[in-house]
Structure formats: C-alpha cells, structure tokens
Amino acid sequence: MREADVLSASDNRLRRGLIVMAILAVLIITAFIISMNTGFIRLSPLDVMKTLFGMGTEKQSLILYQFRLPRIVISLLIGAGLAVSGCIMQGISRNALADPGILGINAGAGLMVMLFISFYPTTAAAPVFLLPVLALIGAGATAALIYALAYKRHEGISPTRLILTGIAVAAGISAAMIVLTLRLDPNKYQFLATWLAGSIWGSNWKFVLALLPWIVVLLPYVFYKARVMNVLSLGDQIASGLGTSVKGERMKLLIAAVGLAGASVAVSGGIGFVGLIGPHLARRMVGPKHQLLLPASALAGALLVIIADTVGRWILQPSEIPTGIVVAVIGAPYFLYLLARTRT
C-alpha cells in the first residue's frame, strides 16, 4: 500500500508537471503572436496572418521576416539557454542563488565578445559564427578562474564562497570592460553601451543559425543528464556511494552550462537574472525533480525573455528599452527576496 501511494504521488507530480509545461507553452505561443504585432510600424493580426501565408505586401514581409521573427526566435533561444544554464549551476553547486550572470560567467563571455567587436566588424558571416566560440572561451576561462579561487583543499567549494567569488570576479571584469569602452570610437561605444545593457542586437537569421546548434546540441544533453543531477543534489558522499563519478559529471555539466550561457550572451548582450528567475519559477511549479525541472526552466526562461523584449519594444515607442533592463526590473527585487530567505 505504501509503495502504491508513492507511485500515485509520482504520477500526480508528473501529471502536474506536464500540465504546467503545457500552460507555459501556450503562454509562449501567445507572447509570440503578440510580439509579431508589436513594434514602431504596427502590423495587425490580420496583416501578420496574410504575410505568413504569402499574401502580405513587400514592406510587411520585410518587417516580419527580416526583423521581428529572427528577434523573437533569438529571444526564445537565449531565454531557454540562460535558464537551463542557471538550473545546472544551482543543481551542481546546491546553491539557490547560483546564476551565470551573478557568478560572472556572462561577464567573461561578454569581455571576449567586446574585444572581438572592438577590432573586427560583426556584419560579415564568418565573425557572426565565431562569436559563440569566443564567448565560450571567455566564459570557460572565467568559470575556471572562479572555481580555482573558490576551491579549498579538503573542503571543496562552499556555496557562499562560490557566490562571493563570482560576484568579485564579475565586478573586476565589468570594470575592465568599462575601461576598454573609453578607448572606442563613438559609434562602437554607443553600440557596446547598448549591448552591455542587454540588448538583443543580433536580430537577423545569421545570428539564429549561429546560436541554434549550441542550443540544439546542449539542451538535449543536459536533459539526458537529469537523473545524474538528481543524484548530485543528494550530496557528494551519497552520490559517490551510488556509483556516480561526482567530479567528472559535475565538470561535464559545468561545461554544458558555460556553453549555453556563453553562446546566449554572444547574441543577447548582458541579460542577467534569467538563469536565476527561470529555474526558481519552474521549481515552484513542478518541484525539484530535474526530469521536469530542466524543461520547465527552459520554457519559463523563454517566456520571460520574449515578454521582456516585447515590453521593451512597446513601452517607449519609437525608442526601445534594452531587454536586459526590463529583466533586471523584474529580477533585482526577486534576487533580494531570495537573499532575504537565504539569510533566514
């Protein structure tokens, strides 16, 4: 009877998780449709439908296919990538405040992209596809530095030490980026200032193609590792006792998290808090089991970024508010709330 109760509870959690993910998917589709109709040049829902079926004007096709659709797709991809990256980091560190932005991973990726943009044009096809690779190098180097500084022999990595080290490294990298911007010409300075605020600047199909392989390869891999993450969440001793190679699996997952964050930052700029908010919202809705938590985090992150981007394009027309600022308006109070809860 007790075993039957456990199976019933597991089925209920699975059913609830699937319902939650279905609701998130419906909300994403709704936001997708609203976003296609949002912009300085308004396209009514009827105009959008006509254009999608090839009956729109040349101007409507240009606006929808060359500007809005790639930007919307990129919003969804980076939202999913950053949220899953944050979920991985929270899982392997067992720290509710872990996030690629707070830990400095985004800053490291951003520094490499900034150096690249400073010396090379970004409109050619080859540099566009190099950006995620360079961002991965910067993010990986930053992650290695944080790991080395936070690690203590015979103690491992303390969650608090990891957060504090990440914040310190991120602050140092941000200061270096500000110094570098002072040496740029006005046009590149204006672009990078907007990029640092979290603007989805790569709004064309080349950037979608540059980001898509990273998301398509890494997300299924992370979902496949959901059972391993469940074991790691039990603690190193228990995970080792169950036959899990703790250091090896943690390193593989960390590389995947760095890859997702770095590739996302390469085309989105400094958008923070998505990796913090997405997993927390998902955990509240589907629970801590990673088979449900990881895909729910991806959906929650995608929904958050597409809503933030749509609001940023709509609220101060014809000007735009960078997506990162809109996310920060939501994320900063939530971060303080989590910090207050952690203290208690």
Side-chain angles (χ1 to χ4, degrees):
M1 183 67 181
R2 187 172 298 174
E3 183 178 352
D5 291 339
V6 171
L7 291 174
S8 177
S10 178
D11 290 340
N12 289 335
R13 284 195 296 268
L14 176 60
R15 190 179 304 110
R16 179 185 175 185
L18 293 175
I19 292 173
V20 167
M21 286 188 281
I23 293 172
L24 289 173
V26 170
L27 291 175
I28 288 173
I29 293 172
T30 303
F32 193 105
I33 295 171
I34 294 173
S35 189
M36 286 193 295
N37 292 277
T38 301
F40 177 61
I41 300 176
R42 178 167 175 75
L43 297 179
S44 67
L46 182 60
D47 292 334
V48 170
M49 291 300 296
K50 286 182 178 179
T51 306
L52 290 175
F53 286 100
M55 295 182 290
T57 65
E58 185 176 344
K59 180 180 178 181
Q60 291 171 341
S61 297
L62 177 66
I63 293 170
L64 187 62
Y65 287 112
Q66 299 304 318
F67 293 101
R68 292 189 186 171
L69 277 179
R71 181 164 179 164
I72 294 170
V73 172
I74 286 174
S75 298
L76 295 174
L77 293 178
I78 64 175
L82 290 173
V84 171
S85 178
C87 187
I88 295 171
M89 291 182 179
Q90 290 171 17
I92 63 178
S93 67
R94 301 195 303 278
N95 190 325
L97 300 178
D99 162 75
I102 296 169
L103 291 180
I105 306 300
N106 289 0
L111 179 60
M112 286 296 294
V113 173
M114 179 181 175
L115 290 171
F116 181 75
I117 292 172
S118 300
F119 295 101
Y120 294 94
T122 60
T123 54
V128 167
F129 290 94
L130 278 175
L131 286 179
V133 178
L134 293 171
L136 176 62
I137 294 172
T142 305
L145 176 62
I146 293 170
Y147 187 91
L149 293 175
Y151 181 83
K152 280 193 174 182
R153 193 176 180 182
H154 305 305
E155 294 183 21
I157 294 181
S158 163
T160 302
R161 192 186 308 124
L162 181 68
I163 289 291
L164 294 176
T165 304
I167 292 173
V169 171
I173 294 175
S174 298
M177 293 171 73
I178 292 173
V179 171
L180 288 172
T181 58
L182 299 178
R183 302 174 59 88
L184 300 176
D185 62 73
N187 291 332
K188 286 188 176 180
Y189 177 82
Q190 181 64 37
F191 168 78
L192 284 171
T194 305
W195 184 86
L196 289 172
S199 173
I200 300 178
W201 61 286
S203 55
N204 63 58
W205 293 110
K206 288 189 298 184
F207 287 90
V208 174
L209 293 176
L211 176 60
L212 190 62
W214 297 80
I215 302 297
V216 169
V217 172
L218 291 177
L219 282 190
Y221 173 76
V222 174
F223 294 162
Y224 172 74
K225 290 290 185 178
R227 292 183 181 274
V228 174
M229 292 190 65
N230 287 338
V231 175
L232 291 177
S233 65
L234 299 175
D236 292 359
Q237 292 183 347
I238 297 178
S240 298
L242 293 174
T244 302
S245 174
V246 175
K247 289 185 178 179
E249 294 295 345
R250 182 175 285 145
M251 185 58 64
K252 292 175 186 177
L253 288 166
L254 180 60
I255 291 172
V258 168
L260 288 169
S264 299
V265 169
V267 297
S268 69
I271 297 180
F273 293 111
V274 177
L276 179 71
I277 300 174
H280 274 277
L281 292 177
R283 190 175 289 107
R284 285 178 175 271
M285 292 184 289
V286 302
K289 194 174 182 180
H290 284 88
Q291 284 90 338
L292 297 174
L293 179 59
L294 287 166
S297 296
L299 292 172
L303 179 63
L304 174 63
V305 174
I306 192 175
I307 289 176
D309 184 56
T310 303
V311 170
R313 288 190 286 121
W314 166 76
I315 196 168
L316 289 179
Q317 292 182 5
S319 301
E320 290 186 9
I321 300 176
T323 306
I325 293 178
V326 180
V327 174
V329 169
I330 302 170
Y334 192 75
F335 176 72
L336 293 174
Y337 164 72
L338 289 176
L339 193 61
R341 284 192 57 191
T342 303
R343 287 177 179 175
T344 56

